[in-house]
Structures are given as structure tokens and as C-alpha cells.
Amino acid sequence: DVKVTQSSRYLVKRTGEKVFLECVQDMDHENMFWYRQDPGLGLRLIYFSYDVKMKEKGDIPEGYSVSREKKERFSLILESASTNQTSMYLCASSFMGSYEQYFGPGTRLTVT
Amino acid sequence: KQEVTQIPAALSVPEGENLVLNCSFTDSAIYNLQWFRQDPGKGLTSLLLIQSSQREQTSGRLNASLDKSSGRSTLYIAASQPGDSATYLCAAPGSSNTGKLIFGQGTTLQVKP
């Protein structure tokens, strides 16, 4: 079975802190994605990566950056957390050329 | 640009009822369509993936259909149970060949005992 894991289920950070969310997949997938999910807004793509060290902006990249140094790991970075980044963050992965995505359990981030 | 819509946003049914969840998409040139289940506070679990060459895909009490010409997919749940209560999302590929998915807003289903 495909397994996508995220470093934390729940996280509470203060405004201005630098926050790292990590995602690891064990299926040798080329593509990895970071989404945020908010009530009434659905899932919105923040960034995605189709190879090591490669990244592309999604629909809402402002305030975020990403890092992919190894194929299995994709990190989302909030350089200076703000309260409007309080959200559920979901990571997903897929094979190159496939639209079938597999999701991690999510990280509920609260910024106070 | 692909847009995905799910109606209704919420649905409440008594246990045992058969039900249909709807998903519509604007760009019919899709490779496949995926249905997910999400329990409160959890990630998404893939239920069914229908390839563009298929019209239906079945898994247990779930049956998903795809009609590309009309831009519609349906998820049929037979003999609903309280454990089916969750949010169901459909997702279609974005218009560019990047592996990105476009998600509907979801239908939140409540099955009452």
C-alpha cells in the first residue's frame, strides 16, 4: 500500500515563527503536492514538485516556500507564520504522468 | 480552465437508503476522475478512480460512473450505513498535463441510524 506520512497531526505556532511541515512518501512517486483546506474554500494547491529540486507554484504560493532535496520528502515552509495561515495542510503524491494522487493524514496548523 | 462542481453541499438520509452524489466538470478532455472520502479532521482516502475509457467502476457498495460528453460523474452508494457519513470529494485533472487535480467543494453526507 502507498503510504504518505506527515510530520505532525496538530501544530500550534506563534505569529512570526518559521514553520516546517514535512511529508514523506514510500512509493517512489515523482510528483508531490502541498494543499491547504479551509471551510468554504475547498482544497487549494500551494506548491507542487515533479522531481528532486524541481518545484512549481500552485494557486496560492504567497507566504510559502518548499524544498525537495530527496525524492521521497517534500517540505512546506512558512517563512513567517501569520494567523491567516491557520488551516489544514494536506500532502499528496503521484507517479509522473498519473493523476491518481495519494494523500497523507493532514496537519492541522494553528497560528496564534 | 477546468472547474469542478459538486451539488448538493450537504445531504442527510436515513440508514439503508440508496443515494447518488453528483460531480460536474467543465473540460471533458480528462484522463480520469477520482472520488475521495474525507472524515472530519483527516486526510483524503481514495475510493475510486475511473479512467476516461471506462464508464463505471465498482468497489463494494460504491459505484462511480463517468460521462465525459455531458461532463458528469456520479457516485452511487447502495444501502447506506451510518459509517458512510463523511465528506465525499471528486477531482478531475487540470487542463494542463502536469498531474494537478482540480477538486470539487465536496458533499457532506450524514446517514442517520
Side-chain angles (χ1 to χ4, degrees):
Chain A
D1 277 352
V2 176
K3 193 169 183 182
V4 181
T5 57
Q6 295 183 227
S7 50
S8 305
R9 290 298 312 278
Y10 302 95
L11 208 52
V12 179
K13 295 292 182 180
R14 294 193 181 277
T15 301
E17 278 193 81
K18 190 169 185 176
V19 181
F20 293 86
L21 302 182
E22 293 206 322
C23 175
V24 177
Q25 51 90 8
D26 67 357
M27 277 299 292
D28 205 33
H29 285 167
E30 292 84 5
N31 298 335
M32 296 189 75
F33 306 83
W34 274 108
Y35 298 89
R36 64 176 283 176
Q37 185 178 32
D38 301 285
L41 297 176
L43 271 82
R44 293 180 291 169
L45 182 64
I46 305 171
Y47 267 98
F48 71 102
S49 169
Y50 50 89
D51 201 353
V52 175
K53 297 191 185 295
M54 306 301 287
K55 61 185 180 184
E56 282 200 23
K57 294 179 180 179
D59 301 318
I60 50 163
E62 297 79 18
Y64 302 94
S65 62
V66 290
S67 172
R68 192 161 180 206
E69 297 296 320
K70 294 185 178 181
K71 191 174 185 179
E72 66 270 19
R73 188 181 298 270
F74 191 34
S75 300
L76 180 69
I77 304 157
L78 287 66
E79 296 289 342
S80 178
S82 63
T83 54
N84 63 12
Q85 292 178 311
T86 291
S87 185
M88 169 71 104
Y89 290 87
L90 294 164
C91 174
S93 68
S94 69
F95 283 115
M96 179 68 72
S98 170
Y99 289 96
E100 185 172 12
Q101 292 187 15
Y102 297 85
F103 279 78
T107 296
R108 171 73 65 184
L109 173 67
T110 302
V111 183
T112 61
Chain B
K1 182 181 175 183
Q2 181 72 276
E3 294 181 6
V4 179
T5 305
Q6 292 183 251
I7 296 173
L11 185 62
S12 181
V13 301
E15 182 177 4
E17 194 162 294
N18 301 326
L19 60 102
V20 174
L21 305 181
N22 296 298
C23 173
S24 60
F25 47 93
T26 55
D27 184 353
S28 61
I30 58 173
Y31 292 103
N32 55 40
L33 187 133
Q34 198 167 0
W35 281 93
F36 294 90
R37 169 184 172 137
Q38 186 177 30
D39 293 294
K42 302 287 180 64
L44 277 66
T45 300
S46 181
L47 295 174
L48 289 164
L49 176 77
I50 316 176
Q51 301 293 350
S52 60
S53 57
Q54 298 174 308
R55 291 189 62 86
E56 287 188 1
Q57 186 72 261
T58 298
S59 176
R61 293 183 294 109
L62 305 180
N63 176 277
S65 68
L66 177 63
D67 184 344
K68 288 177 58 178
S69 62
S70 66
R72 292 188 61 194
S73 176
T74 60
L75 180 66
Y76 174 83
I77 303 177
S80 58
Q81 302 171 358
D84 295 329
S85 299
T87 297
Y88 293 82
L89 297 104
C90 66
S95 300
S96 57
N97 187 24
T98 58
K100 292 195 289 185
L101 290 177
I102 308 299
F103 287 83
Q105 294 274 348
T107 295
T108 298
L109 172 65
Q110 183 184 31
V111 181
K112 297 181 177 179

